[in-house]
Amino acid sequence: EEREKNRQKALAELERVSDSDTAETRVQILVTKGEVLRDMGRHAEAIEAFEEIIKLNEEGIEAKAEGDALFQQLDEAMADGREDDADAIADKMEPLLAKLQFAKLQEHAVMGMHLAIAETRENLQDWDGALDVYKWKAMAVFEYDSNDCPRNFTAAQQRRMFMGMSRCLYHKEDYDGSIQLGEEAIQMNRHFPQVHKYVALSQKANGDKEAAVQTMARAVHYETPWDDANKKNVLDIYENMKNDIE
């Protein structure tokens, strides 16, 4: 009950300062709001908060393109001595200024919002909706530089996406797909909490109980040596799966 009161107070304070003038502050407010709403189980509202950040970024990018074109027109008008035209163009540019700052959001921050939306759809057990976000909003916009290094996302975000897609495919009973993507995530970071779980569950659902036990044995050995709670959870899953084949 006390925790719920604190969440309500936090939401009220976030609403009070939600019209911040700076992009960085406003985005952080929306991120925090989404996380609080998600923690409260108000998942649809959390998605709205995350989607607002993406919308602001898209509007900022559009404003930048429009502003660049107007700036060129302004240069031409001033070079030609057309002061009235220059003033009119400057007036058109002014409303764009507030939106322009949102075009500067780091690309991996926008990617993080796509992932947050997908994970919140998982909370709603909307496996198809979550998969659509992972595939068409997150995976579809991954870009690499000339050295084949991530350009607009982080390795952690890629692992997070593989884990999310693996969970969704498990719940959709596409166990082979779940195993494939889950193993990709394990290769990226075998120490991450719960990274082995849905591979093992999918192997078990496929009838390969021995492989599932082996996967969870690796989880016991590698996952989160710093996190006692996760280690206990992993050990419980391993022992249950091992008992199931004895």
Side-chain angles (χ1 to χ4, degrees):
E1 185 178 346
E2 186 64 27
R3 189 176 180 185
E4 183 66 19
K5 288 180 180 178
N6 289 336
R7 289 170 178 158
Q8 293 290 355
K9 288 179 181 178
L11 280 179
E13 180 61 19
L14 290 168
E15 289 293 339
R16 188 183 69 80
V17 297
S18 62
D19 292 330
S20 171
D21 291 334
T22 67
E24 182 178 358
T25 302
R26 188 170 177 191
V27 167
Q28 188 54 58
I29 288 169
L30 287 168
V31 169
T32 305
K33 179 180 178 181
E35 290 172 347
V36 171
L37 287 167
R38 186 179 175 191
D39 194 37
M40 295 172 71
R42 292 164 59 178
H43 299 117
E45 294 173 79
I47 290 171
E48 289 178 1
F50 297 138
E51 286 180 337
E52 187 174 347
I53 296 171
I54 295 171
K55 180 182 176 183
L56 289 169
N57 178 247
E58 291 172 346
E59 290 177 349
I61 292 171
E62 291 174 2
K64 184 179 184 304
E66 186 178 349
D68 289 345
L70 287 172
F71 193 77
Q72 184 175 350
Q73 294 174 27
L74 180 63
D75 273 352
E76 292 171 355
M78 293 180 67
D80 294 340
R82 294 181 281 115
E83 293 184 6
D84 289 345
D85 288 346
D87 289 342
I89 293 168
D91 288 341
K92 290 180 181 179
M93 293 177 69
E94 187 174 353
L96 300 177
L97 297 177
K99 294 181 178 181
L100 281 173
Q101 58 184 331
F102 292 100
K104 299 177 183 178
L105 295 183
Q106 292 182 329
E107 290 173 313
H108 63 76
V110 177
M111 184 67 69
M113 291 304 96
H114 287 309
L115 295 175
I117 290 168
E119 289 163 352
T120 309
R121 290 202 176 280
E122 288 187 63
N123 294 143
L124 291 167
Q125 298 185 8
D126 179 8
W127 314 120
D128 288 320
L131 272 174
D132 282 346
V133 176
Y134 284 127
K135 289 192 294 186
W136 305 117
K137 298 294 187 180
M139 178 182 274
V141 297
F142 277 4
E143 294 180 6
Y144 298 83
D145 62 21
S146 58
N147 296 317
D148 205 29
C149 294
R151 192 188 71 79
N152 63 342
F153 63 97
T154 66
Q157 287 176 331
Q158 188 176 33
R159 186 264 314 142
R160 185 175 160 192
M161 184 194 70
F162 285 145
M163 285 182 67
M165 294 179 75
S166 177
R167 289 191 299 268
C168 291
L169 290 172
Y170 167 78
H171 287 292
K172 286 174 60 63
E173 300 181 5
D174 180 353
Y175 302 124
D176 290 337
S178 177
I179 292 167
Q180 181 181 355
L181 288 166
E183 287 179 341
E184 290 281 353
I186 292 170
Q187 288 179 18
M188 295 186 72
N189 186 351
R190 62 188 179 182
H191 302 292
F192 197 81
Q194 302 295 299
V195 72
H196 295 81
K197 178 178 178 179
Y198 284 89
V199 173
L201 289 175
S202 293
Q203 289 167 330
K204 180 180 178 182
N206 258 348
D208 195 346
K209 294 182 179 180
E210 290 187 359
V213 170
Q214 290 172 4
T215 296
M216 289 312 300
R218 289 193 292 272
V220 170
H221 185 69
Y222 291 115
E223 268 191 37
T224 60
W226 62 88
D227 186 341
D228 289 339
N230 186 69
K231 285 166 62 178
K232 182 180 183 306
N233 180 270
V234 166
L235 184 60
D236 288 344
I237 296 173
Y238 166 72
E239 290 178 343
N240 287 336
M241 286 188 173
K242 188 177 178 182
N243 292 336
D244 198 33
I245 63 174
E246 290 179 346

